[in-house]
Amino acid sequence: MKARAQLIVDAGGLRWRSAVPVVLCPTGDHRIHLVQAAGGPLGGDDLALDVRLGAGCAAQLRSAAATVVQAGRSPGPARWAVTASVGQRAVLDWQPEPTVICDGAQLHSRITVALQPGARAVLREVVVLGREGQRGGHFVGELAVDLDDSPLLAHTVLLDGTDPVLAGPAGTDGARVVGMLAVVGESIRGPAEGAGEEPGLRWACAPLDGPGHLVLALADRVTTVTRLLDHFAPVCSASRLRMGRA
């Protein structure tokens, strides 16, 4: 299955085009939920979302439920691509529910964000290796952020619950949940660089070579990771900006 959805937020209002199984549903003044209208993604699916925010606008993108990636009949991984263009002084708050990579499944995810001067973005991704009792499949997650046409962040996460190296002491060390939070853009006041470890949780926060910071976390439970990422994520200032008039 191949599908490409689109969301545009500008001075003219909110416009969107869903493409099953990627369905967009506005749920608040500045909030849009992604709703999976069919099972999957499945192996071989090629799904995409194009987001465009005009100058001074803002959008919070969430998902109605976790995304469950399963093996399909078609060879190759499922693909999920998000491309976002964020205008001057605009704010993108991207924090969907976790993505679960079932046994035998493969997902290649790529998020590409282009920020104009004064724009900001909060970008969160939480990946769970397998359902309860599973080891989990293969995941490649790429994140690329440019600010004013200059590279700000290029980050790749590679996970595989069946790979003894990636799931070993030098990798996830048996942890099933991996979380990432990037807070990027001008006027971002990041926390001090740091790291921590406690039973069932390891995390690190590092400043970028530019405005923003990146947080990575490994844990045994989804709630443990989301609680940590909530601590580092600023409250999106969407309420102070306009989303456009419908």
Side-chain angles (χ1 to χ4, degrees), residues 221-237:
R221 297 178 178 275
V222 170
T223 53
T224 303
V225 167
T226 56
R227 189 181 305 116
L228 177 77
L229 298 186
D230 285 344
H231 173 74
F232 285 101
V235 176
C236 182
S237 57

PDB file of all heavy atoms in Angstrom, residues 221-237:
ATOM      1  N   ARG A 221       9.945   0.018  30.460  1.00  0.00           N
ATOM      2  CA  ARG A 221       8.531   0.346  30.349  1.00  0.00           C
ATOM      3  C   ARG A 221       8.324   1.649  29.579  1.00  0.00           C
ATOM      4  O   ARG A 221       9.116   2.580  29.688  1.00  0.00           O
ATOM      5  CB  ARG A 221       7.904   0.490  31.746  1.00  0.00           C
ATOM      6  CG  ARG A 221       7.926  -0.794  32.572  1.00  0.00           C
ATOM      7  CD  ARG A 221       7.327  -0.559  33.950  1.00  0.00           C
ATOM      8  NE  ARG A 221       7.303  -1.771  34.742  1.00  0.00           N
ATOM      9  CZ  ARG A 221       6.337  -2.675  34.688  1.00  0.00           C
ATOM     10  NH1 ARG A 221       5.301  -2.482  33.886  1.00  0.00           N
ATOM     11  NH2 ARG A 221       6.394  -3.761  35.439  1.00  0.00           N
ATOM     12  N   VAL A 222       7.210   1.696  28.846  1.00  0.00           N
ATOM     13  CA  VAL A 222       6.881   2.899  28.087  1.00  0.00           C
ATOM     14  C   VAL A 222       6.664   4.080  29.025  1.00  0.00           C
ATOM     15  O   VAL A 222       7.132   5.199  28.761  1.00  0.00           O
ATOM     16  CB  VAL A 222       5.621   2.658  27.228  1.00  0.00           C
ATOM     17  CG1 VAL A 222       5.134   3.979  26.625  1.00  0.00           C
ATOM     18  CG2 VAL A 222       5.914   1.655  26.123  1.00  0.00           C
ATOM     19  N   THR A 223       5.958   3.866  30.126  1.00  0.00           N
ATOM     20  CA  THR A 223       5.657   4.970  31.035  1.00  0.00           C
ATOM     21  C   THR A 223       6.923   5.582  31.620  1.00  0.00           C
ATOM     22  O   THR A 223       6.968   6.788  31.880  1.00  0.00           O
ATOM     23  CB  THR A 223       4.745   4.497  32.167  1.00  0.00           C
ATOM     24  OG1 THR A 223       5.325   3.329  32.803  1.00  0.00           O
ATOM     25  CG2 THR A 223       3.359   4.135  31.641  1.00  0.00           C
ATOM     26  N   THR A 224       7.945   4.776  31.812  1.00  0.00           N
ATOM     27  CA  THR A 224       9.208   5.297  32.343  1.00  0.00           C
ATOM     28  C   THR A 224       9.854   6.248  31.349  1.00  0.00           C
ATOM     29  O   THR A 224      10.334   7.335  31.716  1.00  0.00           O
ATOM     30  CB  THR A 224      10.175   4.138  32.662  1.00  0.00           C
ATOM     31  OG1 THR A 224       9.554   3.241  33.579  1.00  0.00           O
ATOM     32  CG2 THR A 224      11.458   4.662  33.279  1.00  0.00           C
ATOM     33  N   VAL A 225       9.853   5.865  30.072  1.00  0.00           N
ATOM     34  CA  VAL A 225      10.454   6.716  29.042  1.00  0.00           C
ATOM     35  C   VAL A 225       9.641   7.995  28.845  1.00  0.00           C
ATOM     36  O   VAL A 225      10.202   9.093  28.784  1.00  0.00           O
ATOM     37  CB  VAL A 225      10.580   5.940  27.710  1.00  0.00           C
ATOM     38  CG1 VAL A 225      10.903   6.896  26.560  1.00  0.00           C
ATOM     39  CG2 VAL A 225      11.658   4.882  27.820  1.00  0.00           C
ATOM     40  N   THR A 226       8.327   7.872  28.734  1.00  0.00           N
ATOM     41  CA  THR A 226       7.507   9.063  28.483  1.00  0.00           C
ATOM     42  C   THR A 226       7.589  10.052  29.642  1.00  0.00           C
ATOM     43  O   THR A 226       7.578  11.267  29.424  1.00  0.00           O
ATOM     44  CB  THR A 226       6.043   8.672  28.219  1.00  0.00           C
ATOM     45  OG1 THR A 226       5.541   7.904  29.319  1.00  0.00           O
ATOM     46  CG2 THR A 226       5.938   7.842  26.951  1.00  0.00           C
ATOM     47  N   ARG A 227       7.678   9.550  30.854  1.00  0.00           N
ATOM     48  CA  ARG A 227       7.793  10.445  32.005  1.00  0.00           C
ATOM     49  C   ARG A 227       9.102  11.236  31.932  1.00  0.00           C
ATOM     50  O   ARG A 227       9.129  12.441  32.216  1.00  0.00           O
ATOM     51  CB  ARG A 227       7.734   9.642  33.308  1.00  0.00           C
ATOM     52  CG  ARG A 227       7.629  10.511  34.561  1.00  0.00           C
ATOM     53  CD  ARG A 227       7.589   9.660  35.819  1.00  0.00           C
ATOM     54  NE  ARG A 227       6.518   8.673  35.772  1.00  0.00           N
ATOM     55  CZ  ARG A 227       6.716   7.365  35.759  1.00  0.00           C
ATOM     56  NH1 ARG A 227       7.938   6.863  35.760  1.00  0.00           N
ATOM     57  NH2 ARG A 227       5.680   6.542  35.736  1.00  0.00           N
ATOM     58  N   LEU A 228      10.182  10.575  31.545  1.00  0.00           N
ATOM     59  CA  LEU A 228      11.465  11.273  31.425  1.00  0.00           C
ATOM     60  C   LEU A 228      11.419  12.309  30.298  1.00  0.00           C
ATOM     61  O   LEU A 228      11.861  13.450  30.482  1.00  0.00           O
ATOM     62  CB  LEU A 228      12.589  10.271  31.161  1.00  0.00           C
ATOM     63  CG  LEU A 228      13.963  10.900  30.934  1.00  0.00           C
ATOM     64  CD1 LEU A 228      14.569  11.340  32.262  1.00  0.00           C
ATOM     65  CD2 LEU A 228      14.896   9.970  30.200  1.00  0.00           C
ATOM     66  N   LEU A 229      10.880  11.934  29.139  1.00  0.00           N
ATOM     67  CA  LEU A 229      10.828  12.865  28.022  1.00  0.00           C
ATOM     68  C   LEU A 229       9.925  14.049  28.333  1.00  0.00           C
ATOM     69  O   LEU A 229      10.202  15.177  27.900  1.00  0.00           O
ATOM     70  CB  LEU A 229      10.362  12.149  26.752  1.00  0.00           C
ATOM     71  CG  LEU A 229      11.268  11.005  26.254  1.00  0.00           C
ATOM     72  CD1 LEU A 229      10.756  10.484  24.925  1.00  0.00           C
ATOM     73  CD2 LEU A 229      12.722  11.426  26.150  1.00  0.00           C
ATOM     74  N   ASP A 230       8.845  13.804  29.072  1.00  0.00           N
ATOM     75  CA  ASP A 230       7.981  14.917  29.496  1.00  0.00           C
ATOM     76  C   ASP A 230       8.762  15.935  30.314  1.00  0.00           C
ATOM     77  O   ASP A 230       8.523  17.147  30.221  1.00  0.00           O
ATOM     78  CB  ASP A 230       6.808  14.388  30.331  1.00  0.00           C
ATOM     79  CG  ASP A 230       5.747  13.707  29.499  1.00  0.00           C
ATOM     80  OD1 ASP A 230       5.746  13.901  28.267  1.00  0.00           O
ATOM     81  OD2 ASP A 230       4.924  12.965  30.073  1.00  0.00           O
ATOM     82  N   HIS A 231       9.688  15.442  31.106  1.00  0.00           N
ATOM     83  CA  HIS A 231      10.483  16.332  31.962  1.00  0.00           C
ATOM     84  C   HIS A 231      11.341  17.281  31.126  1.00  0.00           C
ATOM     85  O   HIS A 231      11.538  18.444  31.496  1.00  0.00           O
ATOM     86  CB  HIS A 231      11.366  15.495  32.883  1.00  0.00           C
ATOM     87  CG  HIS A 231      12.350  16.295  33.686  1.00  0.00           C
ATOM     88  ND1 HIS A 231      11.966  17.073  34.768  1.00  0.00           N
ATOM     89  CD2 HIS A 231      13.693  16.450  33.559  1.00  0.00           C
ATOM     90  CE1 HIS A 231      13.034  17.667  35.278  1.00  0.00           C
ATOM     91  NE2 HIS A 231      14.088  17.310  34.557  1.00  0.00           N
ATOM     92  N   PHE A 232      11.848  16.798  29.982  1.00  0.00           N
ATOM     93  CA  PHE A 232      12.738  17.600  29.150  1.00  0.00           C
ATOM     94  C   PHE A 232      12.022  18.373  28.061  1.00  0.00           C
ATOM     95  O   PHE A 232      12.617  19.243  27.428  1.00  0.00           O
ATOM     96  CB  PHE A 232      13.804  16.706  28.507  1.00  0.00           C
ATOM     97  CG  PHE A 232      14.883  16.264  29.444  1.00  0.00           C
ATOM     98  CD1 PHE A 232      14.862  14.988  29.996  1.00  0.00           C
ATOM     99  CD2 PHE A 232      15.915  17.114  29.793  1.00  0.00           C
ATOM    100  CE1 PHE A 232      15.851  14.570  30.856  1.00  0.00           C
ATOM    101  CE2 PHE A 232      16.920  16.708  30.656  1.00  0.00           C
ATOM    102  CZ  PHE A 232      16.886  15.433  31.195  1.00  0.00           C
ATOM    103  N   ALA A 233      10.747  18.057  27.807  1.00  0.00           N
ATOM    104  CA  ALA A 233      10.026  18.727  26.727  1.00  0.00           C
ATOM    105  C   ALA A 233       9.383  20.006  27.235  1.00  0.00           C
ATOM    106  O   ALA A 233       8.659  19.987  28.232  1.00  0.00           O
ATOM    107  CB  ALA A 233       8.959  17.798  26.166  1.00  0.00           C
ATOM    108  N   PRO A 234       9.596  21.134  26.573  1.00  0.00           N
ATOM    109  CA  PRO A 234       8.933  22.379  26.986  1.00  0.00           C
ATOM    110  C   PRO A 234       7.462  22.329  26.631  1.00  0.00           C
ATOM    111  O   PRO A 234       7.040  21.585  25.742  1.00  0.00           O
ATOM    112  CB  PRO A 234       9.669  23.448  26.168  1.00  0.00           C
ATOM    113  CG  PRO A 234      10.083  22.724  24.926  1.00  0.00           C
ATOM    114  CD  PRO A 234      10.425  21.318  25.368  1.00  0.00           C
ATOM    115  N   VAL A 235       6.677  23.126  27.303  1.00  0.00           N
ATOM    116  CA  VAL A 235       5.280  23.268  26.925  1.00  0.00           C
ATOM    117  C   VAL A 235       5.237  24.035  25.611  1.00  0.00           C
ATOM    118  O   VAL A 235       5.775  25.129  25.498  1.00  0.00           O
ATOM    119  CB  VAL A 235       4.483  24.017  28.010  1.00  0.00           C
ATOM    120  CG1 VAL A 235       3.051  24.252  27.546  1.00  0.00           C
ATOM    121  CG2 VAL A 235       4.505  23.228  29.313  1.00  0.00           C
ATOM    122  N   CYS A 236       4.633  23.418  24.607  1.00  0.00           N
ATOM    123  CA  CYS A 236       4.578  24.062  23.292  1.00  0.00           C
ATOM    124  C   CYS A 236       3.834  25.381  23.402  1.00  0.00           C
ATOM    125  O   CYS A 236       2.760  25.449  24.005  1.00  0.00           O
ATOM    126  CB  CYS A 236       3.896  23.152  22.284  1.00  0.00           C
ATOM    127  SG  CYS A 236       3.820  23.831  20.631  1.00  0.00           S
ATOM    128  N   SER A 237       4.387  26.419  22.804  1.00  0.00           N
ATOM    129  CA  SER A 237       3.793  27.738  22.913  1.00  0.00           C
ATOM    130  C   SER A 237       2.732  27.976  21.830  1.00  0.00           C
ATOM    131  O   SER A 237       2.494  29.098  21.422  1.00  0.00           O
ATOM    132  CB  SER A 237       4.877  28.824  22.812  1.00  0.00           C
ATOM    133  OG  SER A 237       5.602  28.689  21.606  1.00  0.00           O
TER     134      SER A 237
END
